[in-house]
């Protein structure tokens, strides 16, 4: 097993390693903290449980980091965390190297927020159904059901990776070749089969976000790499830091950073088109030895309908 995990760990940048180490540590720590008293359990629920009750209480911060916490209520939950970490080491490093560590951190919070909104929208529709049908237990369960774990984030990464090559195919654990555009759906159906044919709404929400990401161009909402680079230069020593045996990837070292710089310069040039101060010479200034002031009809020219030869002949006769 170590021969498989160690090469994957070696490819993980700093933020991915922080998530892999911090996710189980925080889940175990919060489990111990919540078991102390009802007050501590309420604190954990208020800070990390992304459900309808907290949404009604306007605890919107749970959208950001709620999915980064998994309440471990059984040994099976711990095994699922280990599987999540394995999948994270497969899909997170490529995205972090492409976006940079700061950009990947912003992207994680953004995807968590969008996925949480989709998930809670589904839960709200389910709540209305239970309310109209008079199912009190189903209504209470739906209000308390939250979005937890790395699986939604992993499924978004997996869907984006698969859709980057939609004409290709993926080997489903050595059993069958599945076209990439259907692979996330097939994997979700497989997990539902293992879950006793129960619908896993967190996976459905992640699939909705993953398939809609390119169509609605969600990346336009995220800050550009040049802006993240300026932020790192001001606050983070240019992104020069290391932890867990690896380094933070600055935005300037990420893929396609030069393209973002060129686009940023192009937009700046477009914005300068309407700025007369940037293009017009100063009053009284000279350019190329001639006066910078322009006088209308002040130069020599031709009469209307005359050619240059006619003008030269008329000038010679007058002389």
């Amino acid at each position: 097993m170590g021969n498989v995990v160690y090469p994957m760990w070696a490819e993980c940048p700093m933020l991915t390693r922080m998530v892999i180490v911090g996710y189980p540590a925080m889940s175990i720590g919060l489990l111990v903290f919540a078991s102390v008293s009802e007050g501590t359990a309420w604190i954990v629920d208020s800070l990390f449980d992304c459900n309808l009750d907290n949404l009604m209480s306007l605890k919107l911060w749970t959208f950001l980091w709620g999915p980064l916490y998994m309440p471990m209520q059984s040994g099976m939950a711990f095994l699922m965390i280990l599987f999540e970490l394995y999948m994270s080491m497969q899909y997170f490093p490529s995205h972090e190297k492409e976006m940079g560590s700061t950009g990947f951190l912003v992207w994680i919070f953004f995807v968590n927020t969008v996925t949480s909104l989709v998930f809670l929208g589904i839960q709200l529709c389910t709540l209305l159904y239970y309310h109209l049908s008079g199912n009190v237990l189903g209504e209470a369960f739906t209000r308390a059901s939250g979005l937890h774990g790395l699986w939604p984030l992993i499924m978004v990464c997996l869907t984006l990776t698969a859709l980057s090559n939609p004409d290709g195919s993926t080997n489903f654990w050595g059993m069958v070749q599945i076209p990439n555009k259907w692979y996330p759906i097939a994997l979700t159906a497989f997990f539902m089969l293992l879950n006793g044919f129960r619908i896993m709404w967190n996976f459905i929400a992640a699939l909705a976000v993953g398939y809609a990401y390119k169509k609605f161009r969600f990346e336009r909402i995220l800050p550009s790499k040049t802006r993240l680079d300026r932020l790192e230069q001001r606050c983070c020593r240019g992104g020069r830091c290391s932890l867990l045996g690896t380094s933070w990837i600055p935005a300037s070292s990420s893929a396609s950073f030069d393209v973002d710089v060129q686009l940023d310069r192009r937009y700046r040039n477009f914005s300068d088109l309407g700025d007369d101060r940037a293009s017009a010479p100063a009053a009284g200034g000279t350019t190329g030895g001639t006066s910078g002031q322009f006088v209308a009809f002040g130069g020599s020219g031709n009469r209307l309908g005359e050619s240059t030869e006619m003008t030269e002949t008329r000038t010679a006769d007058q002389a």
Side-chain angles (χ1 to χ4, degrees):
M1 186 66 179
N3 295 333
V4 177
V5 175
Y6 181 76
M8 298 173 63
W9 173 261
E11 292 294 326
C12 294
M14 179 175 164
L15 182 59
T16 301
R17 293 190 181 188
M18 291 174 63
V19 172
I20 293 172
V21 174
Y23 174 60
M26 185 172 66
S27 298
I28 296 174
L30 292 176
L31 174 65
V32 175
F33 181 73
S35 62
V36 174
S37 64
E38 294 184 359
T40 56
W42 178 84
I43 292 175
V44 172
D45 177 80
S46 299
L47 292 178
F48 296 97
D49 206 351
C50 181
N51 55 28
L52 287 176
D53 285 337
N54 285 337
L55 175 63
M56 299 303 177
S57 302
L58 297 181
K59 299 174 182 177
L60 303 182
W61 53 81
T62 57
F63 291 177
L64 299 176
W65 51 73
L68 298 177
Y69 157 70
M70 170 65 77
M72 289 191 296
Q73 301 172 351
S74 62
M76 184 58 66
F78 181 74
L79 292 179
M80 288 301 295
I81 286 180
L82 296 180
F83 193 27
E84 285 176 314
L85 298 180
Y86 175 79
M87 296 293 288
S88 299
M89 287 190 289
Q90 277 192 325
Y91 290 101
F92 286 2
S94 59
H95 286 78
E96 183 175 355
K97 293 175 182 178
E98 180 183 357
M99 302 177 185
S101 296
T102 305
F104 187 55
L105 178 62
V106 175
W107 185 83
I108 287 176
F109 288 148
F110 171 74
V111 171
N112 283 345
T113 301
V114 177
T115 307
S116 299
L117 290 174
V118 175
F119 175 79
L120 293 179
I122 296 173
Q123 293 296 94
L124 182 60
C125 294
T126 307
L127 178 66
L128 292 176
Y129 169 77
Y130 284 140
H131 180 73
L132 294 176
S133 61
N135 191 337
V136 180
L137 292 179
E139 185 177 349
F141 177 78
T142 303
R143 291 174 63 93
S145 298
L147 186 66
H148 301 292
L150 291 176
W151 271 120
L153 188 62
I154 293 171
M155 288 303 299
V156 173
C157 290
L158 184 148
T159 304
L160 293 178
T161 302
L163 294 180
S164 64
N165 183 22
D167 297 328
S169 61
T170 301
N171 191 330
F172 186 71
W173 291 350
M175 294 185 294
V176 64
Q177 292 286 339
I178 300 177
N180 286 345
K181 60 182 178 180
W182 303 116
Y183 178 71
I185 299 177
L187 185 62
T188 301
F190 177 74
F191 280 116
M192 290 183 183
L193 177 64
L194 295 180
N195 200 36
F197 294 97
R198 288 183 296 179
I199 298 178
M200 304 174 69
W201 293 115
N202 55 343
F203 278 70
I204 299 298
L207 285 179
V209 174
Y211 278 98
Y213 192 92
K214 293 296 183 181
K215 182 177 180 59
F216 293 100
R217 299 180 64 184
F218 287 160
E219 66 274 4
R220 295 181 300 176
I221 305 176
L222 300 173
S224 64
K225 293 181 180 179
T226 53
R227 185 169 299 177
L228 293 175
D229 179 59
R230 290 194 292 267
L231 176 64
E232 290 176 343
Q233 296 297 333
R234 294 177 181 177
C235 306
C236 309
R237 298 187 303 169
R240 294 184 297 271
C241 57
S242 58
L243 187 67
L244 299 174
T246 187
S247 300
W248 191 269
I249 300 180
S252 57
S253 301
S254 61
S256 69
F257 175 74
D258 295 336
V259 176
D260 279 17
V261 172
Q262 294 175 1
L263 290 175
D264 185 65
R265 290 176 178 174
R266 185 177 301 176
Y267 288 131
R268 288 183 182 179
N269 292 337
F270 285 154
S271 64
D272 290 342
L273 288 177
D275 191 357
D276 295 337
R277 294 173 298 177
S279 57
T286 59
T287 303
T290 60
S291 175
Q293 297 179 349
F294 172 75
V295 180
F297 305 107
S300 60
N302 300 333
R303 294 179 181 177
L304 185 64
E306 289 185 347
S307 63
T308 305
E309 290 80 1
M310 295 175 62
T311 304
E312 293 177 352
T313 302
R314 180 168 50 83
T315 304
D317 294 340
Q318 292 178 357

